[in-house]
């Protein structure tokens, strides 16, 4: 029997603080999106020519509510997977930075597309968002595979959003 036993590192934050740290940035992103779209849906967006595969307007808030819960849960798990020492620590910080960068891009897309009516710039932002979500999945995989898997539907939705944004740009 060896005298040294490996004890898993406990999360760096207490559970309640980790929960707040996971929910608040996702909720803030959702709030920005909601404020940026509400006035534009019945006016500017309704007047755009959209592709046949454009879903009804009610689908978007339903999808985003589900995705936001999954994104927050993913962040909560990633925050709990933080290594205390070793080479993995810098990799964890990179995973967290990528996660927060994709949230920032998520928050930036809606005002770019809806408020500024910048469909082309919106396409650039949503394409960058897709890259960052995929990179976040790859980086989170090393620390918490469930956190990574929770982002997969988000990546699928952002892929669809990128295609939809490109089609709207082409049609308008």
């Amino acid at each position: 029997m060896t005298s040294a036993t490996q004890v898993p590192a406990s999360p760096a934050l207490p559970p309640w603080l980790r929960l707040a740290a996971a929910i608040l940035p996702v909720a803030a992103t959702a709030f920005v999106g909601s404020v940026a779209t509400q006035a534009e849906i019945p006016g500017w967006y309704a007047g755009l020519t959209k592709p046949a595969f454009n879903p009804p307007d009610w689908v978007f808030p339903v999808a985003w509510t589900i995705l936001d819960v999954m994104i927050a849960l993913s962040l909560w798990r990633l925050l709990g997977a933080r290594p205390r020492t070793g080479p993995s620590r810098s990799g964890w910080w990179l995973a967290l930075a990528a996660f927060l960068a994709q949230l920032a891009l998520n928050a930036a897309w809606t005002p770019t597309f809806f408020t500024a009516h910048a469909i082309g710039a919106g396409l650039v932002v949503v394409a960058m968002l897709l890259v960052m979500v995929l990179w976040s999945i790859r980086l989170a995989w090393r620390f918490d595979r469930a956190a990574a898997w929770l982002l997969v539907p988000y990546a699928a939705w952002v892929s669809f959003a990128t295609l939809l944004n490109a089609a709207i740009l082409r049609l308008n």
Side-chain angles (χ1 to χ4, degrees):
M1 177 178 218
T2 54
S3 58
T5 56
Q6 288 254 335
V7 177
S10 62
L13 299 172
W16 65 270
L17 189 55
R18 197 171 103 215
L19 186 61
I23 291 173
L24 290 176
V26 176
T29 299
F31 178 76
V32 167
S34 178
V35 168
T37 58
Q38 281 180 344
E40 302 298 333
I41 294 292
W44 174 77
Y45 186 72
L48 292 174
T49 303
K50 293 179 235 17
F53 62 86
N54 188 75
D57 291 343
W58 65 265
V59 170
F60 294 96
V62 171
W64 275 113
T65 300
I66 294 165
L67 291 170
D68 285 339
V69 169
M70 295 175 78
I71 293 164
L73 184 55
S74 175
L75 181 54
W76 179 76
R77 291 190 60 91
L78 184 60
L79 289 169
R82 180 178 177 187
R84 290 179 180 241
T85 59
S88 290
R89 184 177 169 117
S90 62
W92 180 86
W93 280 108
L94 182 61
L96 182 60
F99 199 105
L100 296 176
Q102 64 81 12
L103 273 182
L105 287 165
N106 182 329
W109 180 81
T110 313
T112 302
F113 183 89
F114 282 98
T115 307
H117 304 170
I119 302 170
L123 181 58
V124 171
V125 174
V126 76
M128 290 173 23
L129 171 59
L130 178 57
V131 169
M132 289 307 295
V133 172
L134 293 171
W135 196 39
S136 294
I137 292 168
R138 183 180 183 282
L139 294 172
W141 186 261
R142 291 179 44 207
F143 302 100
D144 188 310
R145 290 189 176 178
W149 277 113
L150 283 163
L151 295 177
V152 171
Y154 178 37
W157 183 258
V158 173
S159 296
F160 173 73
T162 304
L163 178 64
L164 183 58
N165 193 147
I168 291 172
L169 177 63
R170 184 180 59 80
L171 293 171
N172 293 277

